[in-house]
Amino acid sequence: MSMNVIELQGVSVRYREKKILSFKEVVVRGFSAYSKSKFFDSLHDVSFAVKHGETVGIVGPNGAGKSTLLRVAAGIIPPSVGVSVSRGTLAPVMELGTGFEMELSGRENIFFNGALLGFPRSYVRARMDDIIAFSGVEPFIDLPLRTFSTGMIARLAFAIATSVEAETLLLDETFAVGDAAFRRQCNARIGRFVGNATVVVVSHDLDVLETLCSRTVWLNKGEIAADGPTADVVERYRAATVTS
């Protein structure tokens, strides 16, 4: 029986609608403006589990809570309510810049990111050539990351996450950045993990989810609207987006 590598039990993530931007603003407006502000749930009472070896897609409209769910699973943010448990080594590819330092070079960021994932320097060094080759940023690898384009950083992040031997990959909108050739590279490399590791993919590209994922979770307004075989969930999601 396969073990659950990710478990969310009754998870809600709550944010205050009005953020405190500065002490000066608090003085000018007063604390009462913030103490009376309402909260909203980016996720509300979400429970689901991912077993070892599963490839799971996450789909939903903008603002549905997809990225928040992935961040909770990765341990980047804690749930406001409920419990989130992950087991084994996770390699997240999240929003631009997560796990990187913009003043460090691309090469230094590979070591830095590997350290954040829990891998020793010698382990990362042994995979350095593969990471650089896949990312396609070799001419710029020793320049500060702030000089990289959005697409270059996305390539580097994906190359690191898929070159180390992580037990679980968490991919957030990886396919939204980069050209068609890069997306084909991503698909091919993720295909190597299917059945051998656990993969959770957030994407608006339903064709990608149908190709890679046996199971898909549909999030809507922070809640699970459907969870099941990808073909069934995607069909329902497409029908809902057409009629809405």
Side-chain angles (χ1 to χ4, degrees), residues 106-196:
R107 190 184 304 275
E108 291 167 333
N109 267 289
I110 293 174
F111 284 117
F112 179 66
N113 202 270
L116 291 179
L117 295 175
F119 295 103
R121 193 174 181 87
S122 58
Y123 179 95
V124 177
R125 184 182 293 109
R127 287 154 178 80
M128 181 69 71
D129 290 345
D130 177 66
I131 292 170
I132 295 173
F134 182 86
S135 66
V137 299
E138 185 172 5
F140 313 95
I141 197 64
D142 292 307
L143 296 177
L145 204 70
R146 58 180 164 75
T147 65
F148 284 33
S149 69
T150 299
M152 290 164 66
I153 296 176
R155 285 173 177 268
L156 190 60
F158 185 85
I160 295 169
T162 57
S163 293
V164 299
E165 294 175 2
E167 295 166 295
T168 302
L169 285 177
L170 304 176
L171 307 174
D172 187 2
E173 298 291 1
T174 304
F175 311 100
V177 181
D179 55 23
F182 174 61
R183 290 194 291 271
R184 287 194 296 270
Q185 281 182 290
C186 290
N187 288 340
R189 181 161 280 206
I190 293 174
R192 290 167 32 188
F193 286 85
V194 174
N196 299 311

Side-chain angles (χ1 to χ4, degrees), residues 43-145:
L43 290 178
H44 179 69
D45 196 23
V46 170
S47 297
F48 88 117
V50 180
K51 295 185 180 299
H52 174 70
E54 275 195 295
T55 303
V56 180
I58 309 291
V59 71
N62 291 330
K66 305 184 297 297
S67 295
T68 302
L69 186 151
L70 223 57
R71 292 187 193 110
V72 171
I76 295 173
I77 59 174
S80 305
V81 179
V83 177
S84 173
V85 177
S86 61
R87 299 178 176 91
T89 306
L90 280 74
V93 181
M94 301 294 179
E95 72 273 12
L96 185 63
T98 300
F100 289 102
E101 285 292 333
M102 292 298 168
E103 293 304 318
L104 297 179
S105 71
R107 190 184 304 275
E108 291 167 333
N109 267 289
I110 293 174
F111 284 117
F112 179 66
N113 202 270
L116 291 179
L117 295 175
F119 295 103
R121 193 174 181 87
S122 58
Y123 179 95
V124 177
R125 184 182 293 109
R127 287 154 178 80
M128 181 69 71
D129 290 345
D130 177 66
I131 292 170
I132 295 173
F134 182 86
S135 66
V137 299
E138 185 172 5
F140 313 95
I141 197 64
D142 292 307
L143 296 177
L145 204 70

